[in-house]
Amino acid sequence: MADFVLELDRVTKRFGDVTAADDLSLQVAQGEFCALLGPSGSGKTTLLRIIAGLELPDSGRVLINGQDVTRLPPYARKVGMVFQNFLLFPHKTVAENVVFPLRMQGAPRERQKERLAWALKLLRLEGLEDRYPNQLSGGQQQRVALARGLIARPALLLLDEPLANLDRELRKEMEVEVRRYQVELTTPFIYVTHNQEEALTMSDRIAVMAKGRFEQVAPKLEVYTHPTSPFVAGFVGHSNKMSGRLTALDGSRARLDWQGVEIAVPSPARAGVGDRVDYFVKCEHMVLRSPNDPPEPELANRVPGVLRDVIFKGPNADYLARLDNGVELTVTDAVTMPSIRRDDPVHVAWAPEAGQCFAAAG
Amino acid sequence: MKAGELLARLIGGTLLLSLYLFLYAPIAYVIYVSFQKDLNWPFPPSWTLAHYAALGADQTYREGLWNSILLGLGSAVICTAVATMGSIAVLKYRSRWRALMVVIFLCPLFVADLLVGISNLLFNRQVLNLPGNMGSAMIGNAVHCTSFAFLIMLAQLSRYDWRLDDAAMVFGARPLRCFLEVTLPLIWPAMLGAFLVSFILAFNNLEISFYNLGAIPTLPTIAWGSLRFGLGGELFALAALVNGVVLGAFAVMYLLMRYRVVSFGHRE
């Protein structure tokens, strides 16, 4: 049991008619960086508050290092937390903010000093000890919040969208830093975010949440490349979604009638000929070809269209192709790639197995 | 265009001035008269401090002043404590009955002082079997002043971020420690405001104090009593002094807030 730092055992929480956490189970091991990824209202913050003890679950258990803490108040759990908007104490200096958890635990003065020096050094806050939070930049406030979360060597650190209020540049920088601290300290981090880039950059494992449920809990690469539910396929990464009815099933392959275009798809579970399915292919798993290019056997799907626009994105570009059936597909590829111009006829090609096919809901 | 603007400013200015006159002319007049030899028709002015000297020499007024201060302090402590707890309860724990809770806290505002005084007297004597004394006068005044204190706390605390308490709790602060370390240092200016206002209200109150105190004199009861023997010069001096102290207290409070010596909530 104690192999995991955090264990959630069938945790459920309802607010009136809304189920914010629906029978959630999760295990997090020492050294792990686990992201809770989901749109707003998916219940990820509620789950984090349940772990912290700020919210009492209706049923289920929360275990920290094997100890059942479900009914323990937050101040007895010894977890660290980094809040959205930082929530630094505005009337306390940086040093007073950072050392607060140790003071509350009644640590000896010597140890407080020692740990404070350690935390300030780790987070590069030396020289700012006597400033007040309102005298700090966003990035500095963020680091103070992290220092306060880490100073007391918590069993685990909970982070609630800590980078949401930083500008893009700073966020990129902090993503790398946060990951570095986590690797250095081996403290497990539970990181709540609605930003898939953050989750993909920093975490080892991602739990994708929607409507109070885990849609998929898996290593991040697997979540990205092998989504197991239509929600995950649509939410993580940028995908083209193709909906239609199956016209044929032949072992691992099936054929899909997608608005008049016949394409090959991997056979979905729980769907037969005539059933409605959704087929997701990541934009970067599709390529553009000139109509004169020879066919490539591994790119079994090849549909004709016209290049409508190119959206330059730095190293990559999104190519918007309008197919003959009037639908648009987005293809992400290197900028230098084709010598094709706008309004040129193109072929969009991809391997059927590059995407995932699911029986349509309802 | 320019003439129209000037006219609008002129009308606005005059209106504002007459509003202030409406509010403060009587008080200003009393202060003016308190320095005049002739109380009945103090024009043209002939200045004197004699009324103040008479006031200072009168033992009853000194005793009344002391009792009023005591009464004010006692009531203000009760009011501030009750209003702080009440406003925190309403704002922090977002019950669906909160609107009703607020209304019940504010209802004493609409009960006449006279009724509060008599009700307190009857209740204390017939139900609790308590004599009228300083303690019951403090409590009686607190009934009335708590509503004001509550309003002030509510207005100020609505800017407080209760998630700071969450943060303190997660980092190991028990509820009392959390209040002393985080909540109190951030809300004390609001509590000071509530304290000041309830002090002044209890200090100045006549009806509630009168019914509950019996023979113990306070400044308002002495003033009211001596009114029956005609307007004495020391009454003018007293009114001027009390108003001066009250306005002075507010001026100090305003300046402290204006220059950010006392700030509230987040330092931004």
Side-chain angles (χ1 to χ4, degrees):
Chain A
M1 282 295 260
D3 294 347
F4 295 109
V5 175
L6 172 71
E7 267 185 277
L8 299 179
D9 180 22
R10 312 199 59 177
V11 169
T12 300
K13 175 81 186 177
R14 284 185 202 87
F15 295 107
D17 299 336
V18 182
T19 306
D22 192 355
D23 201 23
L24 299 178
S25 294
L26 179 74
Q27 280 119 16
V28 180
Q30 182 66 30
E32 208 181 351
F33 196 127
C34 181
L36 298 179
L37 173 66
S40 56
S42 58
K44 52 198 193 310
T45 295
T46 302
L47 185 58
L48 205 70
R49 289 175 60 84
I50 288 173
I51 299 171
L54 294 168
E55 217 64 82
L56 193 66
D58 297 330
S59 65
R61 295 187 308 155
V62 180
L63 290 90
I64 295 178
N65 284 325
Q67 189 202 351
D68 188 341
V69 298
T70 316
R71 310 227 144 239
L72 237 48
Y75 44 84
R77 296 195 180 193
K78 296 198 174 155
V79 299
M81 191 156 177
V82 178
F83 293 85
Q84 205 175 358
N85 311 38
F86 320 129
L87 291 187
L88 301 176
F89 304 126
H91 59 298
K92 291 181 186 288
T93 62
V94 167
E96 288 166 350
N97 263 288
V98 172
V99 92
F100 185 84
L102 284 181
R103 271 188 51 230
M104 292 304 115
Q105 290 176 13
R109 234 163 229 290
E110 272 312 300
R111 193 173 129 69
Q112 288 185 23
K113 261 190 172 169
E114 189 187 305
R115 292 295 295 169
L116 176 64
W118 170 84
L120 292 177
K121 186 158 184 288
L122 177 73
L123 287 139
R124 295 186 284 115
L125 289 164
E126 291 131 316
L128 302 176
E129 292 91 333
D130 298 325
R131 300 257 191 108
Y132 283 93
N134 67 327
Q135 299 168 313
L136 301 176
S137 71
Q140 287 166 338
Q141 290 185 31
Q142 180 61 68
R143 291 210 295 273
V144 174
L146 270 167
R148 185 177 63 173
L150 288 168
I151 190 167
R153 292 189 196 281
L156 76 161
L157 185 69
L158 310 173
L159 302 101
D160 186 8
E161 309 235 11
L163 306 185
N165 291 332
L166 302 181
D167 60 55
R168 195 184 153 82
E169 288 289 300
L170 196 54
R171 203 167 62 220
K172 292 271 165 226
E173 202 178 297
M174 288 305 296
E175 279 174 14
V176 178
E177 272 192 49
V178 169
R179 177 62 186 170
R180 184 168 65 82
Y181 302 135
Q182 196 273 329
V183 170
E184 216 167 292
L185 302 169
T186 74
T187 307
F189 280 22
I190 315 280
Y191 190 102
V192 160
T193 181
H194 67 270
N195 182 324
Q196 49 160 315
E197 279 168 43
E198 275 176 35
L200 291 168
T201 311
M202 291 190 274
S203 61
D204 300 311
R205 212 150 52 110
I206 298 178
V208 184
M209 280 189 84
K211 293 178 182 162
R213 290 175 164 277
F214 285 145
E215 290 280 333
Q216 184 173 9
V217 184
K220 62 177 170 189
L221 202 63
E222 203 180 313
V223 168
Y224 191 79
T225 53
H226 292 97
T228 53
S229 81
F231 177 82
V232 178
F235 189 70
V236 180
H238 300 282
S239 298
N240 291 298
K241 178 182 176 187
M242 290 160 264
S243 307
R245 288 182 192 282
L246 290 184
T247 56
L249 253 172
D250 177 19
S252 62
R253 283 261 179 106
R255 298 203 64 80
L256 168 66
D257 173 24
W258 170 51
Q259 311 210 10
V261 179
E262 183 96 341
I263 52 177
V265 299
S267 293
R270 295 188 300 276
V273 173
D275 286 349
R276 290 191 56 80
V277 295
D278 294 323
Y279 177 52
F280 297 88
V281 183
K282 295 261 181 327
C283 299
E284 70 271 21
H285 291 152
M286 293 182 159
V287 293
L288 280 189
R289 292 290 181 257
S290 151
N292 306 325
D293 288 341
E296 295 147 279
E298 68 277 13
L299 304 179
N301 286 322
R302 187 157 168 160
V303 290
V306 168
L307 185 68
R308 200 179 61 73
D309 209 350
V310 181
I311 297 161
F312 179 63
K313 293 214 163 160
N316 295 316
D318 284 346
Y319 298 86
L320 304 185
R322 173 169 293 149
L323 306 186
D324 295 346
N325 64 1
V327 187
E328 273 187 10
L329 287 180
T330 306
V331 179
T332 304
D333 210 333
V335 176
T336 49
M337 194 222 93
S339 54
I340 315 170
R341 290 159 189 264
R342 198 185 288 188
D343 298 330
D344 280 355
V346 289
H347 283 178
V348 178
W350 70 95
E353 276 70 34
Q356 293 76 35
C357 193
F358 304 97
Chain B
M1 175 63 209
K2 216 160 182 197
E5 201 175 295
L6 203 70
L7 188 68
R9 278 183 174 223
L10 204 68
I11 294 172
T14 315
L15 200 60
L16 187 68
L17 204 68
S18 39
L19 276 176
Y20 284 153
L21 268 176
F22 167 70
L23 288 173
Y24 289 104
I27 294 171
Y29 178 72
V30 166
I31 293 175
Y32 167 75
V33 174
S34 74
F35 291 105
Q36 300 306 319
K37 283 193 182 117
D38 186 354
L39 296 173
N40 294 324
W41 185 245
F43 303 106
S46 75
W47 303 89
T48 176
L49 286 173
H51 307 309
Y52 289 88
L55 181 70
D58 193 327
Q59 186 61 36
T60 340
Y61 279 112
R62 254 187 270 167
E63 197 189 337
L65 173 68
W66 173 241
N67 285 334
S68 283
I69 290 176
L70 210 62
L71 178 64
L73 286 177
S75 288
V77 167
I78 299 171
C79 290
T80 310
V82 174
T84 302
M85 290 190 280
S87 56
I88 287 178
V90 166
L91 289 173
K92 185 174 183 181
Y93 309 103
R94 308 203 145 233
S95 155
R96 59 203 177 101
W97 301 109
R98 56 203 291 241
L100 186 67
M101 285 160 69
V102 169
V103 169
I104 293 174
F105 264 108
L106 296 184
C107 271
L109 276 181
F110 308 108
V111 180
D113 285 3
L114 195 70
L115 277 181
V116 174
I118 295 173
S119 318
N120 254 280
L121 177 72
L122 289 177
F123 185 76
N124 286 351
R125 180 179 298 164
Q126 297 182 348
V127 180
L128 301 179
N129 205 16
L130 288 176
N133 60 17
M134 193 54 107
S136 63
M138 284 174 184
I139 294 170
N141 271 297
V143 169
H144 194 235
C145 306
T146 295
S147 303
F148 286 96
F150 180 78
L151 263 186
I152 291 168
M153 293 297 293
L154 209 60
Q156 292 286 299
L157 286 198
S158 60
R159 290 154 66 193
Y160 182 78
D161 189 346
W162 295 102
R163 291 174 310 168
L164 286 170
D165 291 38
D166 284 353
M169 300 256 268
V170 168
F171 291 122
R174 289 164 174 280
L176 180 65
R177 195 81 194 272
C178 167
F179 179 75
L180 294 177
E181 287 271 351
V182 178
T183 317
L184 188 63
L186 292 172
I187 69 169
W188 73 263
M191 291 172 69
L192 181 65
F195 184 90
L196 274 181
V197 167
S198 30
F199 173 82
I200 291 166
L201 285 173
F203 183 92
N204 283 337
N205 187 276
L206 171 65
E207 294 96 325
I208 301 173
S209 308
F210 176 77
Y211 281 106
N212 284 286
L213 277 175
I216 305 172
T218 65
L219 282 190
T221 53
I222 296 169
W224 186 68
S226 58
L227 252 184
R228 283 177 296 185
F229 307 108
L231 276 170
E234 65 273 18
L235 269 182
F236 284 92
L238 177 68
L241 271 181
V242 170
N243 276 316
V245 169
V246 169
L247 293 177
F250 276 109
V252 168
M253 192 69 189
Y254 172 77
L255 286 175
L256 285 178
M257 274 158 70
R258 176 79 177 73
Y259 292 103
R260 291 302 209 166
V261 180
V262 173
S263 64
F264 184 78
H266 293 272
R267 297 177 199 223
E268 275 163 337

